[in-house]
Amino acid sequence: MLISNCRIRGREGFYDVEYENGKFTSIESHREERKGGYDAEGNMMMPPFVEPHIHLDCVLTAGIPHYNMSGTLFEGITTWHEYKTTQPLVVSEIKERARTALRLMAEYGVQFVRTHVDVTEVSFQGVQALEELKEEMKGIIEIQTVAFPQNGILSCKGGKELMRRAMDMGVTCVGGIPHYEYTREYGLESIRFIFDLAEQYDACVDVHCDENDDEQSRCLEALAVTALERGWGRRTVAAHTCAMGSYNDAYCSKLFRLLKDSQINFNSCPTESIHLQGRIDSFPKRRGITRIKELTHEGMNVALGQDSIADPWYPIGVGNLLRVLEMGIHVAQMTGYEDLSHCLDLISVNGAKNLCLDQEYGIEVGKDANFILLGGKDDVEVVRFQSPVILSVHNGQTIVEKIPAKVSVKF
Ligand SMILES: [Zn+2]
């Protein structure tokens, strides 16, 4: 298959790109005489978007049994608990909701997804549903699952056993929620347990960490030092780290040394955090997001994710990472030209690092033919116009094709 006359993100000029049997076979400068295939009309090809943080077991449940009226994280957790205890959770129903969400994400250019799944929901229907879906979606959208102890590991009866059971069922990564454990000591013990489990199952670690506005919430330093000492940094993601937005600069400058040495990755969900955090503040009201710009400028890897699609924590969300990115660069003040000119990294290559993708990611001969074609010429134009994804190809198969609406303005 030939895609002719495309830009390729990060390169000058126009290209003709060919792929065969699911791999890129040729990338050459565009020649007018090349005919056939798909005419990209100068639009931009890039590796697909990566959704590094979503909860597919919870999507599309907003309003059942009731909406989150305060908009806080903790009412989200209690509403989800009510959902779990009043709605019979059934594998087929969870899969149907998750599949609907995956179709939305695919429409917006996502081909790789890391989803958390609540393992303190003891029927394990969510784990079963997402493990089945992970297998069924292979070759279309690649899914990694994370054993997520919503009610804690030490603070939930049988929490350690539930985590082990999920890993035995084939869950990809080990999760955690140390800041939500009853005490700091429980939080620290949970971190040691998380890495013990990761070593035992040779799995990546992806932990909800300091998702609050408490400047004393400092699980991140424990997560980073454990990752450093066990040589697990590149395979570790610290998600949210909202409290870092409230840390004092003296502590942060000390902390950054450890974070860099540890080589851990970060995930931030700016639409979710700007919605959930700062709720207990009067004015001035904090933004409740981690230091995305400062971490990035210090050379650390930060990827943006959606977290929720119409669930008890966030009632909006359609799977569109460009919308998340737009919010993220505003809230993090990454709207200077230098940041803006490569802002798509935050929802593409940086997410690929979080998911430890390799052969399947990048526009290079020999790599898997995974790409999207965006209606635009560069990062600034794409984020400014919220450009549509006009083509999404995974393993050489077209999974989404969109014909943008034609609009004529009559003046
Ligand atoms: Zn989350």
Side-chain angles (χ1 to χ4, degrees):
M1 179 67 183
L2 166 70
I3 307 287
S4 65
N5 193 23
C6 61
R7 288 180 166 84
I8 298 178
R9 180 171 183 257
R11 302 188 200 188
E12 294 293 320
F14 295 86
Y15 292 86
D16 298 325
V17 176
E18 284 184 284
Y19 53 94
E20 217 178 288
N21 299 325
K23 306 273 182 204
F24 288 113
T25 51
S26 141
I27 300 171
E28 292 177 1
S29 290
H30 174 57
R31 297 197 314 270
E32 275 306 322
E33 64 273 21
R34 294 202 75 160
K35 293 276 183 263
Y38 184 100
D39 183 358
E41 299 177 340
N43 286 308
M44 185 172 78
M45 178 187 284
M46 66 175 287
F49 293 153
V50 176
E51 173 52 79
H53 190 112
I54 190 111
H55 295 254
L56 282 178
D57 50 344
C58 308
V59 292
L60 307 172
T61 59
I64 313 169
H66 58 78
Y67 282 97
N68 177 344
M69 301 306 281
S70 66
T72 59
L73 175 69
F74 294 104
E75 187 176 336
I77 294 173
T78 53
T79 308
W80 173 241
H81 184 72
E82 282 180 58
Y83 183 94
K84 290 191 287 191
T85 47
T86 57
Q87 310 295 314
L89 281 166
V90 181
V91 167
S92 58
E93 187 270 340
I94 299 167
K95 281 169 75 176
E96 199 177 307
R97 284 190 284 105
R99 217 181 256 118
T100 304
L102 288 168
R103 282 196 201 97
L104 285 168
M105 287 190 252
E107 182 183 335
Y108 292 107
V110 171
Q111 293 183 13
F112 297 93
V113 174
R114 182 177 277 183
T115 177
H116 294 257
V117 53
D118 181 4
V119 301
T120 58
E121 192 290 293
V122 294
S123 77
F124 263 53
Q125 296 289 291
V127 178
Q128 183 66 33
L130 295 193
E131 285 307 303
E132 286 182 20
L133 206 55
K134 181 167 88 179
E135 289 304 312
E136 290 167 22
M137 295 304 291
K138 266 185 184 158
I140 305 168
I141 288 184
E142 309 306 331
I143 299 173
Q144 298 180 0
T145 46
V146 185
F148 173 54
Q150 177 70 77
N151 297 338
I153 297 174
L154 277 296
S155 314
C156 172
K157 192 163 176 284
K160 289 184 177 178
E161 258 331 292
L162 293 168
M163 291 290 288
R164 280 195 200 97
R165 189 174 152 202
M167 297 310 293
D168 281 338
M169 285 173 69
V171 169
T172 323
C173 312
V174 184
I177 189 165
H179 61 279
Y180 188 69
E181 301 282 357
Y182 286 143
T183 63
R184 177 174 167 78
E185 286 66 31
Y186 276 13
L188 299 180
E189 189 180 335
S190 79
I191 289 170
R192 284 189 290 274
F193 173 77
I194 288 161
F195 282 92
D196 287 346
L197 210 55
E199 285 176 347
Q200 190 186 336
Y201 288 85
D202 192 22
C204 292
V205 167
D206 196 324
V207 170
H208 285 64
C209 194
D210 301 322
E211 189 181 6
N212 55 39
D213 291 318
D214 176 8
E215 76 279 6
Q216 295 299 320
S217 188
R218 293 179 176 185
C219 299
L220 176 58
E221 60 181 22
L223 184 78
V225 80
T226 312
L228 173 69
E229 287 173 359
R230 303 211 189 185
W232 222 260
R234 288 182 195 276
R235 300 180 74 188
T236 297
V237 175
H240 304 304
T241 61
C242 305
M244 198 197 291
S246 294
Y247 291 163
N248 67 69
D249 287 339
Y251 173 66
C252 234
S253 68
K254 174 200 165 214
L255 176 67
F256 268 38
R257 192 176 129 240
L258 165 64
L259 297 179
K260 268 199 273 191
D261 286 351
S262 75
Q263 299 184 310
I264 65 168
N265 302 286
F266 294 85
N267 159 254
S268 176
C269 299
T271 45
E272 187 92 1
S273 293
I274 199 76
H275 162 74
L276 289 174
Q277 304 301 324
R279 289 274 177 176
I280 305 166
D281 288 353
S282 174
F283 289 92
K285 212 178 251 297
R286 285 169 290 178
R287 298 175 187 218
I289 60 157
T290 195
R291 301 191 181 199
I292 303 172
K293 179 162 75 174
E294 292 71 17
L295 289 165
T296 304
H297 287 189
E298 288 290 327
M300 288 178 267
N301 188 54
V302 188
L304 305 187
Q306 173 113 111
D307 213 356
S308 295
I309 297 179
D311 70 12
W313 291 271
Y314 183 64
I316 313 174
V318 288
N320 183 356
L321 280 175
L322 275 179
R323 193 193 264 182
V324 172
L325 176 65
E326 184 170 39
M327 173 65 79
I329 58 176
H330 281 86
V331 182
Q333 297 188 327
M334 295 179 78
T335 38
Y337 186 75
E338 189 55 37
D339 288 323
L340 209 50
S341 62
H342 47 257
C343 64
L344 290 176
D345 283 353
L346 291 162
I347 56 170
S348 58
V349 287
N350 294 8
K353 278 187 201 155
N354 278 25
L355 268 63
C356 296
L357 303 181
D358 179 24
Q359 169 65 20
E360 56 273 65
Y361 206 78
I363 313 287
E364 286 173 41
V365 171
K367 285 205 168 187
D368 295 351
N370 299 326
F371 67 87
I372 54 175
L373 198 64
L374 286 157
K377 66 175 171 34
D378 58 25
D379 288 27
V380 180
E381 193 173 295
V382 166
V383 75
R384 181 171 163 235
F385 287 96
Q386 292 283 293
S387 301
V389 172
I390 48 186
L391 193 67
S392 179
V393 171
H394 190 68
N395 286 343
Q397 302 296 317
T398 299
I399 58 167
V400 177
E401 194 170 355
K402 185 182 272 182
I403 301 165
K406 291 248 181 286
V407 179
S408 69
V409 178
K410 304 297 185 186
F411 64 88

